Amino acid sequence: MTETPNARLLIIGAPGAGKGTQAARIAERYDVPAISTGDIFRANIKAGTQLGKRVQSIIEQGQLVPDELTNEIVADRLKRDDVARGFLLDGYPRTVDQVHALDAVLEAEARALDAVVLLEADTDAVVARLLKRAEIEGRIDDTEEVIRHRQEVYAEQTAPLIDLFRARGILVEVDGLGEVDAVADRIASALDAKLGA
Ligand code: B4P
């Protein structure tokens, strides 16, 4: 692979589309840190921090953590040295307000996003995946009722971002159904083409 320095990437998709799984692959391929707001929140809940206590019931109900709080966490994370070569954001931004906050952080450093991977998968498939994960991991937000609610929140608040990124010409649409390796290969080819790697 040709070197692709300074790739600033996002992965977006419905809960269960496979973002976390594919984020790790993309981050490794482009040698950038994967930053998942969901993972940050879950680590804080587990550690019993102030932040964890604040967000626990919100996440248990499948609601979104308030923009102001989420934006602050990401802005802080993007100040660390390891993002100098780029980053992959997983699960952020999830609202129009979060897009504007991220734009402001990047613009302040005269930077912009290079590509946004949209991982597509139909609702029944993603609900089935998450129910399977619930059996294995027992995540607090993986009950059927909460999973369905998270899909609704995605459709209402996050899906509208797709058009916004498409209009910017940085959207890369990938079919998220099939084997993990096959999806990873699809993403790699589509991203390489987009980034000119
Ligand atoms: P997230 O951690 O982002 O949870 P998610 O949307 O469910 O995605 P996740 O990464 O877990 O699942 P994935 O698609 O990888 O957010 C959790 C909560 O945190 C949110 O509901 C919200 O409350 C809060 N939050 C996070 N970010 C926020 C923000 N920016 N603003 C406000 N609130 C925020 O799917 C994974 C499952 O699918 C796995 O079990 C995996 O094994 C399986 N899978 C993956 N690929 C597969 C494939 N090809 N075939 C079969 N199964 C596959």
Side-chain angles (χ1 to χ4, degrees):
M1 187 188 82
T2 317
E3 186 89 352
T4 53
N6 304 317
R8 283 174 288 274
L9 308 169
L10 304 185
I11 185 161
I12 188 169
K19 299 184 298 292
T21 308
Q22 296 299 334
R25 309 282 187 109
I26 300 168
E28 190 183 347
R29 183 176 175 86
Y30 291 94
D31 194 20
V32 293
I35 301 169
S36 156
T37 40
D39 284 351
I40 293 172
F41 293 138
R42 278 186 293 277
N44 276 274
I45 292 171
K46 202 171 168 201
T49 65
Q50 283 294 103
L51 171 65
K53 289 186 179 122
R54 224 176 128 184
V55 301
Q56 179 157 6
S57 67
I58 300 173
I59 289 181
E60 264 169 11
Q61 292 165 40
Q63 311 283 19
L64 293 184
V65 172
D67 286 335
E68 205 185 311
L69 183 56
T70 310
N71 288 335
E72 198 183 310
I73 287 162
V74 174
D76 272 356
R77 179 64 186 83
L78 293 179
K79 283 183 192 140
R80 285 186 17 199
D81 292 342
D82 65 346
V83 300
R85 290 193 72 249
F87 54 76
L88 172 71
L89 283 169
D90 161 15
Y92 180 94
R94 255 180 161 89
T95 65
V96 173
D97 182 86
Q98 292 182 12
V99 173
H100 294 154
L102 178 61
D103 285 345
V105 168
L106 295 177
E107 275 162 22
E109 298 185 6
R111 302 200 188 288
L113 291 171
D114 296 302
V116 174
V117 176
L118 168 64
L119 207 48
E120 293 176 301
D122 68 58
T123 306
D124 288 344
V126 297
V127 171
R129 281 181 187 180
L130 293 176
L131 287 172
K132 191 170 163 202
R133 180 172 73 185
E135 285 171 19
I136 301 163
E137 294 179 18
R139 226 173 82 170
I140 55 171
D141 56 349
D142 275 348
T143 64
E144 180 150 10
E145 190 189 345
V146 174
I147 290 169
R148 297 256 174 221
H149 182 60
R150 281 158 55 209
Q151 303 297 332
E152 286 163 15
V153 170
Y154 174 79
E156 278 164 25
Q157 306 215 40
T158 308
L161 309 188
I162 295 167
D163 281 344
L164 201 152
F165 291 128
R166 188 179 285 120
R168 292 184 186 183
I170 54 173
L171 194 70
V172 173
E173 299 176 60
V174 178
D175 179 0
L177 292 180
E179 295 293 319
V180 170
D181 285 346
V183 178
D185 287 347
R186 266 177 236 148
I187 294 176
S189 326
L191 258 185
D192 281 357
K194 188 64 157 182
L195 297 171

